[in-house]
Amino acid sequence: MYLPLTTLLVLLPVLLPPPAHADDYRRTTLPNRTSVSSHLESTPHLATWSFMSSPDGWGSWSTDSQSASVSFTSNQLQVSIEGPAPYIDSPRMHLAVNDRAVFAMRYRFVGPSNVGMLTLRGNDDPDAPDADGYMDANRGWDTAADGDYYRDVWFPLLGDGEWRTTYARFADQLNATEPLERGFNGTLTQVRLRLGVERQASSEWPRSEPTIPGNAFVLDWITLMNAPAVERVTGCGGEVY
């Protein structure tokens, strides 16, 4: 029996086996070097740091507690991990974002942690420092301003040394206690990127081990973008699409 071509095209996704990690869009292996635009060109970007000629302000404020040292070479940001809770800070910014915002980065990581964390810093006061768009280079993470608030979000890591892309959705913040507080809606002023954190196992995720001295993290690019808005439409017969 022969099936029409149109029927074969409909059945093809069912007949073929699913690709590896088909249920996890956050684990994407890319070629050795790719631009942000070639991978996410159809997604509107709020900000992008490609490290083509400099660290782009990331890791500019060094502290004894960050457990990491940052260097720039070969159009990449290289982070040498020196302890169990490494982090680097973004440059100051003034971006209006909402819970559709997504943090994406292309990275290589060698270490035991399977999760990292973003700490988002916001300030919606129109008279707050940097509100006029002028970023004060002397204002690091430890220089707080009245009205600053913070949110944390997880992102997955794979410490196999291969190029990967990972994502953190602002809607998945950890310290939201009420449904109306879900997501980050406001003015983003800075991000602290925690490169591997210890996390106890639960019914929802496995245990994540802390990083150790000698682990390494390399960043190819970082971008902030808005996820597409998905709306439901109800048809005449009550069907929901």
Side-chain angles (χ1 to χ4, degrees):
M1 181 180 68
Y2 297 95
L3 295 176
L5 179 60
T6 54
T7 303
L8 288 173
L9 292 176
V10 171
L11 292 176
L12 189 59
V14 178
L15 298 175
L16 293 177
H21 306 305
D23 59 342
D24 190 352
Y25 70 95
R26 298 167 297 185
R27 287 184 174 181
T28 305
T29 302
L30 300 177
N32 283 343
R33 179 69 185 175
T34 183
S35 66
V36 178
S37 58
S38 67
H39 184 48
L40 303 167
E41 58 184 359
S42 62
T43 306
H45 294 179
L46 301 170
T48 296
W49 299 271
S50 56
F51 311 121
M52 295 302 293
S53 58
S54 73
D56 290 341
W58 283 83
S60 297
W61 295 278
S62 297
T63 65
D64 294 337
S65 62
Q66 73 180 38
S67 298
S69 60
V70 179
S71 61
F72 170 75
T73 182
S74 301
N75 299 329
Q76 295 167 350
L77 197 65
Q78 301 192 6
V79 183
S80 297
I81 294 174
E82 301 171 349
Y87 64 81
I88 60 173
D89 295 335
S90 77
R92 300 290 297 185
M93 61 189 78
H94 191 76
L95 296 174
V97 302
N98 55 38
D99 58 8
R100 288 174 49 211
V102 177
F103 176 96
M105 69 177 182
R106 185 172 184 257
Y107 73 95
R108 286 200 303 183
F109 172 50
V110 176
S113 300
N114 58 35
V115 70
M117 189 168 67
L118 286 182
T119 298
L120 311 173
R121 174 190 237 166
N123 194 316
D124 300 328
D125 185 349
D127 297 323
D130 303 334
D132 58 358
Y134 173 73
M135 305 298 125
D136 186 350
N138 296 317
R139 292 191 66 237
W141 187 270
D142 296 332
T143 307
D146 291 341
D148 280 355
Y149 56 90
Y150 303 85
R151 303 287 186 270
D152 295 322
V153 291
W154 297 121
F155 58 88
L157 287 175
L158 202 57
D160 60 359
E162 298 293 329
W163 282 114
R164 305 278 175 179
T165 302
T166 189
Y167 303 84
R169 301 184 304 171
F170 284 22
D172 292 340
Q173 62 169 294
L174 304 178
N175 45 4
T177 56
E178 300 293 336
L180 292 179
E181 295 179 3
R182 293 290 296 173
F184 185 99
N185 291 277
T187 302
L188 184 67
T189 60
Q190 200 169 18
V191 172
R192 172 160 285 184
L193 176 57
R194 303 181 187 274
L195 304 171
V197 297
E198 183 177 10
R199 183 175 67 175
Q200 299 300 317
S202 74
S203 59
E204 299 180 13
W205 53 67
R207 173 175 169 77
S208 177
E209 300 293 337
T211 56
I212 59 176
N215 292 163
F217 208 100
V218 181
L219 288 164
D220 191 12
W221 50 255
I222 294 173
T223 190
L224 285 170
M225 57 189 179
N226 274 334
V230 179
E231 298 181 359
R232 290 187 175 181
V233 178
T234 303
C236 297
E239 299 88 352
V240 178
Y241 303 94

